[in-house]
Amino acid sequence: MAVPKERIPKARRDRRRAHLALARPVLTPCPQCHQSKRPHHVCRNCGYYHGREVVVTE
Ligand SMILES: [Zn+2]
């Protein structure tokens, strides 16, 4: 089994983990139905993107 050569101090371990937090998704109001949606994505509520309806396949 691989064993660490040196103990990683709590401060160094925590400093490494400072970048691990999940980013909160960006939400903007849909111009069609005014529900929150992610920018540059088809609206999940009304299925519109750039003023026209888009076929949503999932
Ligand atoms: Zn919408």
Side-chain angles (χ1 to χ4, degrees):
M1 193 179 94
V3 170
K5 196 169 190 175
E6 274 184 83
R7 195 183 82 88
I8 307 292
K10 277 179 244 162
R12 206 176 115 187
R13 177 202 64 195
D14 293 350
R15 216 184 309 139
R16 178 174 66 233
R17 292 179 187 172
H19 299 278
L20 296 183
L22 290 173
R24 172 182 277 269
V26 180
L27 292 174
T28 54
C30 169
Q32 192 73 25
C33 66
H34 308 289
Q35 278 258 328
S36 292
K37 70 167 200 72
R38 295 182 66 191
H40 311 288
H41 287 253
V42 175
C43 177
R44 294 294 212 143
N45 184 57
C46 66
Y48 270 68
Y49 189 77
H50 202 77
R52 65 196 187 102
E53 200 172 350
V54 176
V55 181
V56 184
T57 41
E58 284 176 63

